[in-house]
Coordinates of all heavy atoms in Angstrom, one line a residue:
M1 N 79.5 117.6 90.5 CA 80.1 117.0 89.5 C 80.8 115.7 90.0 O 81.2 115.6 91.1 CB 81.2 117.9 88.9 CG 81.8 117.4 87.7 SD 82.9 118.5 86.9 CE 81.8 119.7 86.2
E2 N 80.8 114.7 89.2 CA 81.3 113.4 89.6 C 82.6 113.1 88.8 O 82.7 113.4 87.6 CB 80.3 112.2 89.3 CG 79.1 112.4 90.2 CD 78.1 111.3 90.0 OE1 78.3 110.5 89.1 OE2 77.1 111.2 90.8
F3 N 83.6 112.5 89.5 CA 84.8 112.1 88.8 C 85.1 110.7 89.1 O 84.9 110.2 90.3 CB 86.0 113.0 89.4 CG 85.9 114.4 89.0 CD1 85.3 115.3 89.9 CD2 86.3 114.9 87.7 CE1 85.2 116.7 89.6 CE2 86.3 116.2 87.4 CZ 85.7 117.1 88.3
M4 N 85.5 109.9 88.1 CA 85.9 108.5 88.3 C 87.3 108.3 87.8 O 87.7 108.7 86.8 CB 84.9 107.6 87.4 CG 85.3 106.2 87.5 SD 84.1 105.2 86.6 CE 84.7 103.6 86.8
L5 N 87.9 107.4 88.6 CA 89.3 106.9 88.2 C 89.1 105.5 87.8 O 88.5 104.7 88.6 CB 90.3 107.0 89.3 CG 91.7 106.4 88.9 CD1 92.3 107.2 87.9 CD2 92.5 106.2 90.1
G6 N 89.5 105.1 86.6 CA 89.4 103.7 86.2 C 90.8 103.2 86.1 O 91.7 103.8 85.4
T7 N 91.2 102.0 86.7 CA 92.5 101.4 86.6 C 92.4 100.0 86.8 O 91.3 99.4 87.0 CB 93.4 102.1 87.7 OG1 94.7 101.7 87.5 CG2 92.9 101.8 89.1
A8 N 93.5 99.3 86.8 CA 93.6 97.9 87.0 C 94.0 97.6 88.5 O 94.6 98.5 89.1 CB 94.6 97.2 86.1
A9 N 93.6 96.6 89.1 CA 93.9 96.3 90.5 C 95.4 96.0 90.6 O 95.9 95.2 89.8 CB 93.1 95.1 90.9
N10 N 96.0 96.5 91.6 CA 97.4 96.3 91.9 C 97.6 96.4 93.3 O 97.5 97.5 93.9 CB 98.3 97.4 91.2 CG 99.7 97.2 91.3 OD1 100.2 96.4 92.2 ND2 100.5 97.8 90.4
V11 N 97.9 95.3 94.0 CA 97.9 95.3 95.5 C 99.1 96.1 96.0 O 99.1 96.5 97.2 CB 98.1 93.8 96.0 CG1 96.8 93.0 95.8 CG2 99.3 93.1 95.5
S12 N 100.1 96.5 95.2 CA 101.1 97.4 95.6 C 100.6 98.8 95.7 O 101.3 99.7 96.2 CB 102.3 97.3 94.7 OG 102.1 97.8 93.4
Q13 N 99.4 99.0 95.3 CA 98.8 100.4 95.3 C 97.5 100.4 96.1 O 96.5 101.0 95.7 CB 98.6 100.9 93.9 CG 99.8 101.1 93.1 CD 99.6 101.5 91.7 OE1 98.4 101.5 91.2 NE2 100.6 101.9 91.0
L14 N 97.5 99.8 97.2 CA 96.3 99.7 98.0 C 95.8 101.1 98.6 O 94.6 101.3 98.8 CB 96.5 98.7 99.2 CG 96.5 97.3 98.9 CD1 96.7 96.4 100.1 CD2 95.2 96.9 98.2
G15 N 96.6 102.0 98.7 CA 96.3 103.4 99.2 C 95.6 104.2 98.2 O 95.1 105.3 98.4
L16 N 95.5 103.7 96.9 CA 94.9 104.5 95.8 C 93.5 104.9 96.1 O 93.1 106.0 95.8 CB 95.0 103.7 94.5 CG 94.5 104.4 93.3 CD1 95.3 105.7 92.9 CD2 94.5 103.5 92.1
A17 N 92.7 104.0 96.6 CA 91.2 104.3 96.8 C 91.1 105.4 97.8 O 90.3 106.4 97.6 CB 90.5 103.0 97.3
R18 N 91.8 105.3 98.9 CA 91.8 106.4 99.9 C 92.3 107.8 99.4 O 91.7 108.8 99.6 CB 92.7 106.0 101.2 CG 92.7 107.0 102.2 CD 91.2 107.2 102.8 NE 91.2 108.4 103.7 CZ 90.4 108.5 104.6 NH1 89.6 107.6 104.9 NH2 90.5 109.5 105.4
Q19 N 93.3 107.7 98.6 CA 93.9 108.9 97.9 C 92.8 109.5 97.0 O 92.6 110.7 97.0 CB 95.2 108.6 97.2 CG 95.8 109.8 96.6 CD 97.2 109.4 95.9 OE1 97.4 108.2 95.6 NE2 97.9 110.5 95.5
C20 N 92.2 108.7 96.2 CA 91.1 109.2 95.3 C 90.0 109.8 96.1 O 89.5 110.9 95.7 CB 90.6 108.0 94.5 SG 91.6 107.5 93.2
E21 N 89.6 109.2 97.2 CA 88.5 109.7 98.0 C 88.9 111.1 98.6 O 88.2 112.1 98.5 CB 88.1 108.8 99.1 CG 86.9 109.2 99.9 CD 86.5 108.1 100.9 OE1 87.2 107.9 101.9 OE2 85.5 107.5 100.7
D22 N 90.2 111.2 99.1 CA 90.7 112.4 99.6 C 90.8 113.5 98.6 O 90.6 114.7 99.0 CB 92.0 112.2 100.3 CG 92.0 111.4 101.5 OD1 90.9 111.1 102.1 OD2 93.1 110.8 101.9
L23 N 91.0 113.2 97.3 CA 91.1 114.2 96.3 C 89.7 114.6 95.7 O 89.7 115.4 94.8 CB 92.0 113.7 95.1 CG 93.5 113.5 95.5 CD1 94.3 112.8 94.4 CD2 94.1 114.9 95.7
G24 N 88.7 113.9 96.1 CA 87.4 114.3 95.7 C 86.7 113.5 94.6 O 85.6 113.8 94.1
Y25 N 87.4 112.4 94.2 CA 86.8 111.5 93.3 C 85.5 110.8 93.9 O 85.5 110.5 95.0 CB 87.8 110.4 92.9 CG 88.9 110.8 91.9 CD1 90.0 111.5 92.4 CD2 88.8 110.6 90.6 CE1 91.0 111.9 91.5 CE2 89.8 111.0 89.7 CZ 90.9 111.6 90.2 OH 91.9 112.0 89.3
T26 N 84.6 110.6 93.0 CA 83.3 110.0 93.5 C 83.3 108.6 93.2 O 82.5 107.9 93.9 CB 82.1 110.8 92.8 OG1 82.3 110.7 91.4 CG2 82.0 112.2 93.3
H27 N 84.0 108.1 92.2 CA 83.9 106.6 91.9 C 85.3 106.1 91.6 O 86.2 106.8 91.1 CB 83.1 106.5 90.5 CG 81.7 106.8 90.7 ND1 81.2 108.1 90.8 CD2 80.6 106.0 90.8 CE1 79.9 108.1 90.9 NE2 79.5 106.9 90.9
L28 N 85.5 104.8 91.9 CA 86.8 104.1 91.6 C 86.3 102.9 90.9 O 85.7 102.0 91.5 CB 87.6 103.8 92.8 CG 88.8 102.9 92.6 CD1 89.8 103.7 91.7 CD2 89.4 102.6 94.0
G29 N 86.7 102.7 89.6 CA 86.4 101.5 88.8 C 87.7 100.7 88.6 O 88.7 101.2 88.2
I30 N 87.6 99.4 88.9 CA 88.8 98.6 88.8 C 88.5 97.5 87.7 O 87.5 96.8 87.7 CB 89.0 97.9 90.1 CG1 89.4 98.8 91.3 CG2 90.2 96.8 90.0 CD1 90.6 99.7 91.1
G31 N 89.5 97.5 86.8 CA 89.4 96.5 85.7 C 89.9 95.2 86.0 O 90.6 95.0 87.1
E32 N 89.8 94.2 85.2 CA 90.2 92.9 85.4 C 91.1 92.4 84.3 O 90.7 92.7 83.1 CB 89.0 92.0 85.6 CG 89.4 90.5 85.7 CD 88.1 89.6 86.1 OE1 87.0 90.0 85.7 OE2 88.3 88.7 86.8
G33 N 92.2 91.8 84.6 CA 93.0 91.1 83.6 C 93.6 89.9 84.2 O 94.7 90.0 84.8
P34 N 93.0 88.7 84.0 CA 93.6 87.5 84.5 C 95.0 87.4 84.1 O 95.3 87.6 82.9 CB 92.6 86.4 84.0 CG 91.4 87.1 83.6 CD 91.7 88.5 83.2
L35 N 95.8 87.0 84.9 CA 97.2 86.8 84.7 C 98.1 88.1 84.6 O 99.3 88.0 84.7 CB 97.5 85.9 83.5 CG 96.8 84.6 83.4 CD1 97.0 83.9 82.1 CD2 97.2 83.7 84.5
L36 N 97.4 89.2 84.5 CA 98.1 90.5 84.4 C 98.0 91.3 85.7 O 99.0 92.1 86.0 CB 97.6 91.2 83.2 CG 97.8 90.7 81.8 CD1 97.1 91.5 80.8 CD2 99.2 90.4 81.5
F37 N 96.9 91.3 86.3 CA 96.7 92.2 87.4 C 96.2 91.4 88.6 O 95.9 90.3 88.6 CB 95.7 93.3 87.0 CG 95.9 94.0 85.8 CD1 95.2 93.8 84.7 CD2 97.0 94.8 85.7 CE1 95.5 94.5 83.4 CE2 97.3 95.5 84.5 CZ 96.6 95.3 83.4
S38 N 96.1 92.2 89.7 CA 95.5 91.6 91.0 C 94.1 91.3 90.9 O 93.4 91.8 90.0 CB 95.8 92.5 92.2 OG 97.2 92.8 92.3
E39 N 93.5 90.5 91.8 CA 92.1 90.1 91.8 C 91.3 91.4 92.1 O 91.5 92.0 93.1 CB 91.9 89.0 92.8 CG 90.5 88.8 93.1 CD 89.7 88.3 91.9 OE1 90.2 87.5 91.1 OE2 88.5 88.6 91.8
P40 N 90.4 91.8 91.2 CA 89.7 93.1 91.4 C 88.7 93.1 92.6 O 88.7 94.1 93.3 CB 88.9 93.4 90.1 CG 88.8 92.0 89.4 CD 90.0 91.2 89.9
Y41 N 88.1 92.0 92.8 CA 87.0 92.1 93.9 C 87.7 92.0 95.3 O 87.2 92.7 96.2 CB 86.0 90.9 93.7 CG 85.3 91.1 92.5 CD1 85.6 90.4 91.3 CD2 84.2 92.0 92.5 CE1 84.8 90.6 90.2 CE2 83.4 92.2 91.3 CZ 83.8 91.5 90.1 OH 83.1 91.7 89.0
E42 N 88.8 91.4 95.4 CA 89.5 91.4 96.7 C 90.2 92.8 96.9 O 90.2 93.4 98.0 CB 90.6 90.3 96.7 CG 90.1 88.9 96.7 CD 91.1 87.9 96.6 OE1 92.3 88.2 96.7 OE2 90.7 86.7 96.3
Y43 N 90.6 93.4 95.8 CA 91.2 94.8 95.9 C 90.1 95.7 96.3 O 90.3 96.6 97.2 CB 91.7 95.2 94.5 CG 92.3 96.6 94.5 CD1 93.7 96.7 94.8 CD2 91.6 97.6 94.2 CE1 94.3 98.0 94.8 CE2 92.2 98.9 94.2 CZ 93.5 99.1 94.5 OH 94.1 100.3 94.5
L44 N 88.9 95.6 95.7 CA 87.8 96.5 96.1 C 87.3 96.3 97.5 O 86.9 97.2 98.2 CB 86.6 96.3 95.1 CG 86.9 96.9 93.7 CD1 85.8 96.3 92.7 CD2 86.9 98.4 93.7
A45 N 87.4 95.1 98.0 CA 87.0 94.8 99.4 C 88.0 95.6 100.3 O 87.5 96.2 101.3 CB 87.0 93.3 99.7
L46 N 89.2 95.5 100.1 CA 90.2 96.3 100.9 C 90.0 97.8 100.7 O 90.1 98.6 101.7 CB 91.6 95.9 100.5 CG 92.0 94.5 100.8 CD1 93.3 94.2 100.2 CD2 92.0 94.3 102.3
A47 N 89.6 98.2 99.5 CA 89.3 99.6 99.3 C 88.0 100.0 100.1 O 88.0 101.2 100.6 CB 89.0 99.9 97.8
A48 N 87.1 99.2 100.1 CA 85.8 99.5 101.0 C 86.2 99.7 102.4 O 85.6 100.5 103.1 CB 84.9 98.4 100.8
R49 N 87.1 98.9 102.9 CA 87.6 98.9 104.3 C 88.3 100.3 104.6 O 88.1 100.9 105.7 CB 88.5 97.8 104.6 CG 89.0 97.8 106.0 CD 90.3 96.9 106.2 NE 91.4 97.4 105.4 CZ 92.5 96.8 105.1 NH1 92.7 95.6 105.7 NH2 93.4 97.3 104.4
D50 N 89.0 100.8 103.6 CA 89.8 102.0 103.7 C 89.1 103.3 103.4 O 89.7 104.3 103.6 CB 91.1 101.8 103.0 CG 92.0 100.7 103.4 OD1 91.8 100.2 104.5 OD2 92.9 100.3 102.6
T51 N 87.9 103.2 102.9 CA 87.2 104.4 102.5 C 85.8 104.5 103.2 O 85.4 103.5 103.7 CB 87.0 104.5 101.0 OG1 86.3 103.3 100.6 CG2 88.4 104.5 100.3
R52 N 85.2 105.7 103.0 CA 83.9 105.9 103.6 C 82.8 106.3 102.6 O 81.6 106.1 102.8 CB 83.9 106.9 104.7 CG 84.8 106.5 105.9 CD 84.1 105.4 106.7 NE 85.0 104.8 107.7 CZ 85.6 103.6 107.6 NH1 85.3 102.8 106.5 NH2 86.4 103.2 108.6
H53 N 83.2 107.0 101.5 CA 82.2 107.6 100.6 C 82.3 107.3 99.2 O 81.3 107.2 98.5 CB 82.3 109.2 100.8 CG 82.2 109.7 102.2 ND1 81.0 109.6 102.9 CD2 83.1 110.2 103.0 CE1 81.2 110.1 104.1 NE2 82.5 110.4 104.2
I54 N 83.5 107.0 98.7 CA 83.7 106.8 97.3 C 82.9 105.6 96.8 O 82.8 104.6 97.5 CB 85.3 106.6 96.9 CG1 85.4 106.8 95.4 CG2 85.8 105.4 97.5 CD1 86.9 107.0 95.1
Q55 N 82.3 105.6 95.6 CA 81.6 104.5 95.0 C 82.7 103.5 94.5 O 83.6 104.0 93.8 CB 80.7 105.0 93.9 CG 79.6 106.0 94.4 CD 78.6 105.3 95.2 OE1 78.0 104.3 94.7 NE2 78.3 105.8 96.3
L56 N 82.4 102.2 94.6 CA 83.3 101.2 94.2 C 82.7 100.2 93.2 O 81.6 99.8 93.5 CB 83.9 100.5 95.4 CG 84.6 101.4 96.4 CD1 84.7 100.6 97.8 CD2 85.9 101.9 96.0
G57 N 83.5 99.8 92.2 CA 82.9 98.8 91.3 C 83.9 98.4 90.3 O 85.1 98.9 90.2
T58 N 83.5 97.5 89.4 CA 84.4 97.1 88.4 C 84.2 97.9 87.2 O 83.1 98.2 86.7 CB 84.2 95.6 88.0 OG1 82.8 95.4 87.7 CG2 84.6 94.6 89.2
W59 N 85.3 98.3 86.6 CA 85.4 99.0 85.4 C 85.0 98.1 84.2 O 84.3 98.4 83.4 CB 86.8 99.6 85.2 CG 87.0 100.6 84.2 CD1 86.1 101.6 83.7 CD2 88.2 100.9 83.5 NE1 86.7 102.3 82.8 CE2 88.0 102.0 82.6 CE3 89.4 100.3 83.6 CZ2 89.0 102.4 81.8 CZ3 90.4 100.8 82.7 CH2 90.2 101.8 81.9
V60 N 85.5 96.9 84.3 CA 85.2 95.8 83.3 C 85.6 94.5 84.0 O 86.4 94.5 84.9 CB 86.1 96.0 82.0 CG1 87.6 95.9 82.3 CG2 85.6 95.1 81.0
T61 N 84.9 93.5 83.7 CA 85.1 92.2 84.2 C 85.1 91.2 83.0 O 84.5 91.5 82.0 CB 84.1 91.7 85.3 OG1 84.7 90.6 86.0 CG2 82.7 91.4 84.7
N62 N 85.8 90.1 83.1 CA 85.9 89.2 81.9 C 84.9 88.0 82.0 O 85.1 87.1 82.8 CB 87.3 88.6 81.9 CG 87.7 87.9 80.7 OD1 86.8 87.4 80.0 ND2 88.9 87.7 80.5
P63 N 83.8 88.1 81.2 CA 82.9 87.0 81.2 C 83.4 85.7 80.6 O 82.7 84.7 80.8 CB 81.7 87.6 80.3 CG 82.4 88.5 79.4 CD 83.6 89.1 80.1
L64 N 84.5 85.7 80.0 CA 85.0 84.4 79.5 C 85.7 83.6 80.6 O 85.8 82.4 80.5 CB 85.9 84.7 78.3 CG 85.3 85.3 77.1 CD1 86.3 85.6 76.0 CD2 84.2 84.4 76.5
T65 N 86.3 84.3 81.5 CA 87.1 83.5 82.5 C 86.4 83.6 83.9 O 86.8 82.9 84.8 CB 88.5 84.1 82.7 OG1 88.4 85.5 83.0 CG2 89.3 83.9 81.4
R66 N 85.3 84.4 84.1 CA 84.7 84.5 85.3 C 83.2 84.2 85.1 O 82.6 84.8 84.4 CB 84.8 85.9 85.9 CG 84.3 86.0 87.4 CD 84.4 87.4 87.9 NE 85.8 87.8 88.0 CZ 86.7 87.6 89.0 NH1 86.2 86.9 90.0 NH2 87.8 88.1 89.1
L67 N 82.7 83.2 85.8 CA 81.4 82.8 85.6 C 80.4 83.8 86.2 O 80.7 84.5 87.1 CB 81.1 81.4 86.3 CG 81.9 80.2 85.8 CD1 81.7 79.0 86.7 CD2 81.6 79.9 84.4
F68 N 79.2 83.9 85.6 CA 78.3 85.0 86.0 C 77.9 84.8 87.5 O 77.8 85.8 88.2 CB 77.0 85.0 85.2 CG 77.2 85.3 83.8 CD1 76.9 84.5 82.7 CD2 77.9 86.5 83.5 CE1 77.1 84.9 81.4 CE2 78.1 86.9 82.1 CZ 77.8 86.0 81.1
P69 N 77.7 83.6 88.0 CA 77.4 83.5 89.5 C 78.5 83.9 90.3 O 78.3 84.5 91.4 CB 77.1 82.0 89.7 CG 76.7 81.5 88.3 CD 77.4 82.3 87.3
Q70 N 79.7 83.7 89.9 CA 80.9 84.2 90.6 C 80.9 85.7 90.7 O 81.2 86.3 91.7 CB 82.2 83.8 89.9 CG 82.7 82.4 90.2 CD 84.0 82.3 89.4 OE1 84.1 82.5 88.2 NE2 85.0 81.9 90.1
T71 N 80.6 86.4 89.6 CA 80.6 87.8 89.5 C 79.5 88.4 90.4 O 79.7 89.3 91.1 CB 80.4 88.3 88.1 OG1 81.5 87.7 87.2 CG2 80.4 89.8 88.0
A72 N 78.3 87.8 90.3 CA 77.2 88.2 91.2 C 77.5 88.0 92.6 O 77.3 89.0 93.5 CB 75.9 87.4 90.8
N73 N 78.1 87.0 93.0 CA 78.5 86.7 94.4 C 79.5 87.7 94.9 O 79.5 88.3 95.9 CB 79.0 85.3 94.6 CG 79.2 84.9 96.0 OD1 78.7 85.6 97.0 ND2 79.8 83.9 96.3
A74 N 80.6 88.0 94.1 CA 81.6 88.9 94.4 C 81.0 90.3 94.6 O 81.4 91.0 95.6 CB 82.7 88.9 93.3
I75 N 80.2 90.7 93.7 CA 79.7 92.1 93.8 C 78.7 92.2 94.9 O 78.6 93.3 95.7 CB 79.1 92.6 92.5 CG1 79.1 94.1 92.4 CG2 77.7 92.1 92.2 CD1 80.5 94.7 92.2
A76 N 77.9 91.2 95.3 CA 77.1 91.2 96.4 C 77.8 91.2 97.7 O 77.4 91.9 98.7 CB 76.1 89.9 96.4
T77 N 79.0 90.5 97.8 CA 79.8 90.5 99.0 C 80.4 91.9 99.2 O 80.3 92.5 100.2 CB 80.9 89.5 98.8 OG1 80.4 88.2 98.7 CG2 81.9 89.5 100.0
L78 N 80.7 92.5 98.1 CA 81.3 93.9 98.1 C 80.2 94.8 98.6 O 80.4 95.7 99.4 CB 81.9 94.3 96.8 CG 82.4 95.7 96.8 CD1 83.6 95.9 97.7 CD2 82.9 96.1 95.3
N79 N 79.0 94.7 98.1 CA 77.9 95.5 98.6 C 77.6 95.3 100.1 O 77.2 96.3 100.7 CB 76.6 95.3 97.8 CG 75.5 96.3 98.0 OD1 75.8 97.4 97.9 ND2 74.4 95.8 98.4
A80 N 77.8 94.1 100.6 CA 77.6 93.9 102.0 C 78.7 94.6 102.8 O 78.5 95.1 104.0 CB 77.6 92.4 102.3
L81 N 79.9 94.7 102.3 CA 81.0 95.5 102.9 C 80.8 97.0 102.8 O 81.3 97.7 103.7 CB 82.4 95.0 102.3 CG 82.8 93.6 102.5 CD1 84.0 93.3 101.7 CD2 82.9 93.3 104.0
A82 N 80.3 97.5 101.7 CA 80.2 98.9 101.5 C 78.7 99.2 101.0 O 78.5 99.5 99.8 CB 81.2 99.3 100.5
P83 N 77.7 99.1 101.9 CA 76.4 99.2 101.4 C 76.1 100.6 100.8 O 76.5 101.6 101.3 CB 75.5 99.1 102.7 CG 76.5 98.5 103.7 CD 77.8 98.8 103.3
G84 N 75.5 100.5 99.6 CA 75.1 101.8 98.9 C 76.3 102.4 98.2 O 76.0 103.5 97.5
R85 N 77.4 101.8 98.2 CA 78.6 102.4 97.5 C 79.1 101.6 96.4 O 80.2 101.7 95.9 CB 79.7 102.6 98.5 CG 79.4 103.6 99.6 CD 80.6 104.1 100.3 NE 81.3 103.1 101.0 CZ 82.7 102.9 101.0 NH1 83.4 103.8 100.3 NH2 83.2 102.0 101.6
V86 N 78.3 100.6 95.9 CA 78.8 99.6 94.9 C 78.0 99.9 93.6 O 76.8 100.1 93.6 CB 78.6 98.2 95.3 CG1 79.0 97.2 94.3 CG2 79.4 98.0 96.7
F87 N 78.8 99.9 92.5 CA 78.2 99.9 91.2 C 78.7 98.8 90.4 O 79.6 98.1 90.6 CB 78.5 101.2 90.4 CG 79.9 101.5 90.1 CD1 80.5 101.1 88.9 CD2 80.7 102.2 91.1 CE1 81.8 101.3 88.6 CE2 82.1 102.5 90.7 CZ 82.6 102.0 89.6

């Protein structure tokens, strides 16, 4: 069975990814809210560094404020940091 936690990026909660992995969650999805939350792709990069198995990705991203090439580059970079663990 797979379990996912979806939340917004918050740099004050960097240990969340590791905690989710330790609790058996299979996926961590981070949402985006310009001006409201931390940068999701940077948060996910730090989560990749701190975890080994959990799948990482964006729960939602904002196509109005983030250009498609930016999104593709960010997710490709994340995939380089955590090969096979990015959605």
Side-chain angles (χ1 to χ4, degrees):
M1 187 171 290
E2 295 184 351
F3 293 96
M4 177 181 179
L5 176 69
T7 188
N10 184 340
V11 295
S12 67
Q13 297 176 349
L14 286 177
L16 181 64
R18 180 62 190 210
Q19 185 179 11
C20 286
E21 187 173 71
D22 290 345
L23 291 171
Y25 283 81
T26 57
H27 294 74
L28 175 63
I30 298 297
E32 177 171 29
L35 306 176
L36 297 176
F37 307 113
S38 302
E39 171 62 36
Y41 294 99
E42 292 173 13
Y43 182 90
L44 287 167
L46 293 171
R49 178 196 64 188
D50 294 343
T51 59
R52 296 288 171 254
H53 306 291
I54 196 166
Q55 300 287 309
L56 304 166
T58 53
W59 190 31
V60 65
T61 195
N62 188 339
L64 297 176
T65 59
R66 188 180 297 276
L67 300 173
F68 295 123
Q70 278 181 303
T71 302
N73 188 13
I75 206 74
T77 301
L78 183 60
N79 190 56
L81 297 171
R85 296 196 299 135
V86 176
F87 63 89

